[in-house]
Amino acid sequence: MSPIRSICCLGAGYVGGPTCCIMAQQCPDITVTVVDKSVERIAAWNSSNLPIYEPGLQEVVEECRGKNLHFSTDIEQAIKQADLVFICVNTPTKTFGLGKGKAADLKYVELAARMIADTVEEGQGRKIVVEKSTVPVKAAESISNILRHNIKPGVTFQVLSNPEFLAEGTAIEDLLKPDRVLIGGEETKEGKEAISALGEVYRHWVPQERIITMNTWSSELSKLAANAFLAQRISSINSMSAVCEATGADVSEVAEAIGRDTRIGPKFLQASVGFGGSCFQKDILNLVYISECLNLPEVAEYWSQVVSFNNFQRFRFSQRIVECLFNTITDKKICLFGFAFKKNTGDTRESAAIYIAKHLLDEGARLSIYDPKVTQQQMMMELTQPNISPESPDRIYNLVTCHSDPYSAAEGSHAVVVCTEWDEFVTLDYARIYNTMTKPAFLFDGRKILDHENLIKIGFHVETIGKRLHRKNIERSWN
């Protein structure tokens, strides 16, 4: 079997873009073309202002773009020229119909498969199609069925599963030094040859022992399981944070103690306002739906509790803000530091800040928001979504202001709420911020990143996750 010489990626988003940039950098002998229907997105990839922010990504793009890395809207041409086609399209949770609110919507995956089948011409030989989008188990089988029933003479398809395990904010590092690369495919001679061909691409920079091959279904399920386990750890430590606040324990100390156990380890034990991003909630709900379809209600209920507690943690934090501000925040200005779901990314999907903002707006607050990488347009788009502002989205424009620096955002506010753990928030001049705020001045550290004792000395009333700084007398009942 001849080696891969040309790769096409359908989808220029958070997965396809960075993945193919690193492939181009590490495989100079392979031509990599990233395609998308969005003219604006492709134009951004071809400019100095990339459509997504990832540390190190700009440098990789500038190194390879125009050499063996190309961004284009000519999807058909890229598919025809490619030996291997990655499907990196969006797979959102369904908002209607069967499986609403849980199942993955695979319409874009199906459209991609049909486009590949329609575009490949007679006599083009072998084409390897790789699903890289997060998909439910047996999605590759659906792709295979579409391709098989639309096949042309002189063409063969092999469908592989190659899930991504990127963490936004560290995607470039994750791609360069992955913990593992999973490749799932058919257990046939042709399937094994296709797996080997994709493996050879990764072997340009990934050690052989980190490339794991398996059957397609195991590969697909492994992605859902990995995200479910990570989210479970976050909800587990967040549940402990509630107990710590009620008892006087410190969740950071508890996390360190249990993290020293080598069977548990220290990662993903940082209590916070809750997890966000495009993957964790979506993948857990997908796993819940699959379990329900397989008549495994106990499994479905187990994993649904991870999402339920995450929602509770956001609401609990929001309620604490209201309670501390004398049980009313009507017409009070509250400043949010951070809107991205985590630091070092501009991605706001399922960010805890969105839901905290919703709760505060529902209580009548006026919000001022600062985030170093999220645009005003993106913030307003999230806050005017029907599930956030179902009755009157227009009121958001009257109640929310977005700022280009943290000091103007905090000026005149009753409280500052840290929603994202950006490094710059640690080094701000909080004495300056305090002097411009309405007194008493409150600071709610939802990420546990600030020097609380110093903030208290400045004059702030400080509240954080998993630790009671202003201790109340608690009558314990252990029965």
Side-chain angles (χ1 to χ4, degrees), residues 358-384:
K358 170 182 167 52
H359 295 149
L360 299 179
L361 289 167
D362 287 346
E363 290 285 341
R366 293 180 294 110
L367 302 183
S368 61
I369 307 174
Y370 166 72
D371 188 287
K373 290 298 177 182
V374 182
T375 65
Q376 176 176 333
Q377 180 184 13
Q378 182 68 19
M379 292 181 193
M380 290 304 186
M381 186 199 77
E382 293 285 12
L383 293 176
T384 54

Side-chain angles (χ1 to χ4, degrees), residues 223-244:
K223 167 63 176 177
L224 297 182
N227 278 346
F229 275 58
L230 292 174
Q232 179 195 47
R233 283 177 70 95
I234 296 172
S235 282
S236 294
I237 196 64
N238 280 343
S239 72
M240 289 296 102
S241 74
V243 178
C244 288

Side-chain angles (χ1 to χ4, degrees), residues 324-349:
C324 286
L325 269 67
F326 315 109
N327 284 313
T328 178
I329 57 173
T330 302
D331 208 34
K332 288 180 180 177
K333 179 180 177 181
I334 297 177
C335 171
L336 302 189
F337 278 178
F339 202 79
F341 84 91
K342 62 186 290 190
K343 72 175 184 178
N344 293 334
T345 180
D347 194 354
T348 59
R349 287 176 291 181

